Amino acid sequence: MKKIISLLSLSLLTIAAPAQKKFTVSIGPSASISTLRALDAKGIGGFVTGAYHFHPTFAVTATVGYEHFSTDFYDPWAHVNITTFNLVPVMAGMRYYPWPFLYGGVSTGIAIKGSEHMRSRLAIAPAAGYLLPVGKGKIDMGLQLTGIPQGMGIPEQNVLEKGGYSYLSLRVGYNW
């Protein structure tokens, strides 16, 4: 029992060591495509991500973004043709760095509606990326698959209101 307590104490001290704490910010554009065949949408946007590196291989992240999608989606219940829609994803998550230049992670949060004929929904987003050193900072290149699970709703709602779609984003940002 003493060995377990000693090991746990040493682990907590290692994680909380002041020399390992580092905060980074990444900002940049993103390009997205819908992965749902019924919702053929392409989008552009931007994001800001803050990462707190509490351990050499782990970081806690917070991300705010904006996505503007162009589509040709007909909503049969509202009798309208939706040509554009916007999302504002607000997410928090974790990243794992197996090497200092490569990461994988997952975030969860809410995709806030940014236009009519939509609803704010839960979102989950696994991601993988590569950090390329440039000057005093790094270029953060990554892929993220943002999924908006289907929620409860009346059958008359369109896919943008009830969820059940996802989009793949290529993100390139400057990390300092």
Side-chain angles (χ1 to χ4, degrees):
M1 186 68 174
K2 283 184 180 182
K3 288 181 182 181
I4 293 173
I5 292 173
S6 297
L7 185 61
L8 286 174
S9 299
L10 182 62
S11 298
L12 288 174
L13 288 174
T14 303
I15 289 173
Q20 296 173 351
K21 295 181 183 176
K22 186 177 179 188
F23 185 75
T24 59
V25 175
S26 181
I27 185 167
S30 64
S32 305
I33 58 170
S34 173
T35 59
L36 181 65
R37 186 175 294 194
L39 179 67
D40 184 23
K42 294 165 188 67
I44 59 170
F47 67 95
V48 176
T49 299
Y52 179 69
H53 302 265
F54 64 91
H55 188 268
T57 57
F58 290 100
V60 176
T61 63
T63 303
V64 176
Y66 177 81
E67 296 283 342
H68 174 78
F69 288 93
S70 297
T71 187
D72 188 20
F73 179 72
Y74 181 72
D75 183 355
W77 300 104
H79 303 291
V80 295
N81 194 22
I82 299 171
T83 57
T84 63
F85 64 94
N86 304 311
L87 290 173
V88 180
V90 178
M91 305 178 124
M94 290 283 289
R95 280 188 183 169
Y96 171 66
Y97 296 84
W99 296 282
F101 57 88
L102 188 67
Y103 66 85
V106 66
S107 298
T108 188
I110 188 166
I112 301 169
K113 76 176 194 164
S115 55
E116 196 176 3
H117 304 292
M118 294 189 69
R119 289 215 177 130
S120 297
R121 290 281 176 203
L122 172 73
I124 186 163
Y130 182 80
L131 299 172
L132 179 67
V134 175
K136 292 186 178 186
K138 295 179 181 177
I139 300 292
D140 182 356
M141 299 179 291
L143 285 175
Q144 177 173 310
L145 179 64
T146 304
I148 315 265
Q150 185 171 347
M152 299 246 228
I154 57 174
E156 291 85 14
Q157 294 175 331
N158 67 46
V159 70
L160 294 174
E161 290 178 327
K162 66 181 174 184
Y165 63 96
S166 60
Y167 59 93
L168 182 65
S169 301
L170 172 65
R171 301 173 142 204
V172 179
Y174 186 72
N175 191 351
W176 68 92

